C-alpha cells in the first residue's frame, strides 16, 4: 500500500515530479462564480491539485481562482487536457498555448491527451514530448488509454507517459491495466470515482461506513488512495469539498480493499475508450 498521510500528500511520478494524490475535479463546473468559488474554497482548505480540461470550458474560471487564491502558484498542481478536435502535432501546440492563456499561467503541471483519437494520438504525444522538453509542462500523460493504446504509444514514444487518467470505481477496477501501468511506472488516476453518483445508491460500502463512521464517498476515496490511485472527486458544494477530504484518520484493511475490488464488473459509466464519439 502507498503511504497516505494527509490532503497535501503526494505520489512521485517516474520523472521525480511530486503529484498530489488527492485533488479537485472540475468537470461540469460552470465557468463563472461556481468554479471560481469551488476552487478558491478547495485551495483554502488544503487542496493543492486542480484538474480541468479545454473541453470543460472553465479554464478561465479555474485560472481566476488560482490567481485570487492566497496559495502560491508554485504550490498548486494544475492539470489540463488537449481535446479530441485539437489533436495532431501543430494543433496540440496551439491548443496548449490557448489553455495556458485561459488559465493565466506560463506552465502546466500535467498535460494530458484527453482520449486516444485513432490516427492522431501519436502525433499529439510527440507535441507533448516537445512541450515537456521545453519546460512548458512538468509532466505529461494520457487519459482513457487502455492497455493496447499504451502499448501502441510506447512502441514509438521517446518519453513514457507519467500518468493515465481513467474511469475508476468498484464496478470498473481494470486490475490488469492497473498492473500494466504500475510495471511501466505510469501513475494511475481516477475519474468518476463515485460512478456519477451511482455509488450512493448501492449498499456495497454500508458495513464499512458503520465500522469507520465514514460516508460511502469517503470509503471509496480511501480505497482509491490505498490502491495507489490518484483521485480527483468533483464537487462545487463546500460541505462535500470538506467531507471528501476527510480521509486521513482511518485505514482500510487488505481484506476490505479486496472486498471492494470484488465488485468489479467491467461496467462503465462513461464512454468506452475503444468506441467513443466526441
Amino acid at each position: 500500500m502507498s503511504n497516505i498521510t494527509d490532503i497535501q500528500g503526494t505520489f512521485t511520478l517516474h520523472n521525480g515530479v511530486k503529484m498530489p494524490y488527492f485533488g479537485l475535479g472540475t468537470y461540469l463546473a460552470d465557468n463563472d462564480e461556481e468554479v471560481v468559488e469551488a476552487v478558491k474554497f478547495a485551495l483554502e482548505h488544503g487542496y493543492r491539485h486542480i484538474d480541468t480540461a479545454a473541453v470543460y470550458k472553465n479554464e478561465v474560471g479555474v485560472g481566476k481562482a488560482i490567481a485570487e487564491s492566497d496559495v502560491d502558484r508554485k504550490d498548486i498542481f494544475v492539470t489540463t487536457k488537449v481535446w479530441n478536435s485539437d489533436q495532431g502535432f501543430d494543433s496540440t501546440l496551439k491548443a496548449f498555448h490557448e489553455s495556458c492563456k485561459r488559465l493565466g499561467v506560463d506552465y502546466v503541471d500535467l498535460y494530458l491527451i484527453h482520449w486516444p483519437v485513432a490516427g492522431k494520438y501519436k502525433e499529439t504525444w510527440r507535441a507533448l514530448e516537445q512541450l515537456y522538453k521545453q519546460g512548458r509542462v512538468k509532466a505529461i500523460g494520457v487519459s482513457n488509454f487502455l492497455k493496447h493504446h499504451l502499448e501502441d504509444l510506447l512502441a514509438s514514444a521517446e518519453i513514457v507517459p507519467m500518468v493515465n487518467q481513467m474511469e475508476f470505481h468498484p464496478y470498473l477496477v481494470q486490475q490488469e491495466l492497473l498492473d500494466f501501468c504500475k510495471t511501466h511506472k505510469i501513475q494511475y488516476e481516477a475519474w468518476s470515482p463515485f460512478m456519477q453518483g451511482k455509488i450512493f445508491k448501492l449498499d456495497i460500502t454500508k458495513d464499512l461506513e458503520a465500522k469507520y463512521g465514514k460516508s460511502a464517498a469517503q470509503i471509496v476515496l480511501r480505497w482509491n488512495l490505498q490502491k495507489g490511485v490518484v483521485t480527483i472527486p468533483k464537487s462545487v458544494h463546500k460541505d462535500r469539498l470538506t467531507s471528501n477530504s476527510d480521509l486521513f484518520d482511518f485505514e482500510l484493511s487488505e481484506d476490505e480493499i479486496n472486498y471492494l475490488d470484488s465488485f468489479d464488473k467491467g461496467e462503465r459509466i462513461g464512454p468506452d475508450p475503444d468506441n467513443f464519439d466526441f
Side-chain angles (χ1 to χ4, degrees):
M1 187 193 78
S2 300
N3 186 31
I4 310 301
T5 56
D6 57 67
I7 192 173
Q8 294 178 14
T10 60
F11 292 153
T12 302
L13 305 182
H14 72 66
N15 67 338
V17 166
K18 294 186 181 301
M19 180 180 186
Y21 47 59
F22 183 80
L24 174 65
T26 61
Y27 177 57
L28 296 181
D30 290 339
N31 187 40
D32 54 18
E33 287 307 304
E34 182 176 66
V35 77
V36 173
E37 290 305 311
V39 172
K40 286 174 68 175
F41 182 86
L43 292 172
E44 181 182 335
H45 285 76
Y47 286 68
R48 291 297 180 266
H49 176 178
I50 309 296
D51 180 279
T52 184
V55 76
Y56 299 172
K57 299 190 183 303
N58 60 16
E59 289 172 312
V60 171
V62 169
K64 181 181 179 184
I66 290 170
E68 292 179 358
S69 168
D70 292 332
V71 181
D72 288 343
R73 164 67 185 98
K74 65 180 178 59
D75 296 324
I76 304 171
F77 192 96
V78 180
T79 300
T80 193
K81 313 172 191 79
V82 58
W83 185 237
N84 304 342
S85 57
D86 290 323
Q87 287 199 37
F89 185 80
D90 291 332
S91 51
T92 294
L93 296 177
K94 181 181 178 183
F96 176 79
H97 174 76
E98 291 172 349
S99 281
C100 285
K101 186 175 179 180
R102 286 189 293 267
L103 285 163
V105 299
D106 55 10
Y107 74 94
V108 168
D109 296 271
L110 176 63
Y111 198 45
L112 303 177
I113 300 177
H114 210 144
W115 289 87
V117 176
K120 288 191 174 183
Y121 63 75
K122 286 193 173 187
E123 283 298 293
T124 304
W125 185 250
R126 194 163 62 87
L128 266 63
E129 289 178 326
Q130 177 169 301
L131 291 167
Y132 177 72
K133 291 174 187 176
Q134 292 173 341
R136 301 294 309 282
V137 292
K138 291 190 174 183
I140 51 177
V142 296
S143 182
N144 302 301
F145 274 52
L146 299 174
K147 182 181 176 183
H148 71 89
H149 296 125
L150 290 170
E151 289 174 330
D152 183 46
L153 185 65
L154 290 172
S156 59
E158 186 177 344
I159 300 170
V160 175
M162 288 100 188
V163 172
N164 187 19
Q165 187 182 115
M166 296 292 299
E167 180 179 348
F168 179 78
H169 46 70
Y171 277 16
L172 187 68
V173 178
Q174 299 186 105
Q175 189 64 49
E176 183 182 357
L177 179 58
L178 265 168
D179 292 341
F180 180 87
C181 288
K182 185 175 182 180
T183 296
H184 291 274
K185 299 181 179 179
I186 301 170
Q187 175 61 54
Y188 214 82
E189 180 176 11
W191 63 260
S192 198
F194 302 147
M195 304 166 62
Q196 295 183 9
K198 185 176 179 180
I199 197 76
F200 306 124
K201 300 175 183 178
L202 305 175
D203 288 333
I204 63 175
T205 61
K206 191 173 182 180
D207 290 344
L208 296 175
E209 293 170 52
K211 176 180 177 180
Y212 292 108
K214 294 292 182 178
S215 67
Q218 291 162 337
I219 296 294
V220 168
L221 293 175
R222 182 73 199 193
W223 170 71
N224 280 206
L225 297 181
Q226 289 187 223
K227 291 280 286 182
V229 176
V230 171
T231 192
I232 47 169
K234 178 261 177 178
S235 183
V236 295
H237 303 288
K238 293 181 179 180
D239 57 340
R240 291 178 193 165
L241 287 166
T242 301
S243 64
N244 282 348
S245 63
D246 186 15
L247 309 174
F248 306 103
D249 57 355
F250 76 106
E251 182 176 315
L252 300 172
S253 70
E254 185 176 349
D255 285 345
E256 289 163 347
I257 296 293
N258 293 336
Y259 165 75
L260 291 173
D261 286 352
S262 73
F263 289 97
D264 186 16
K265 303 172 182 288
E267 181 178 313
R268 298 184 182 280
I269 303 301
D272 183 341
D274 279 329
N275 297 285
F276 63 92
D277 183 20
F278 294 129

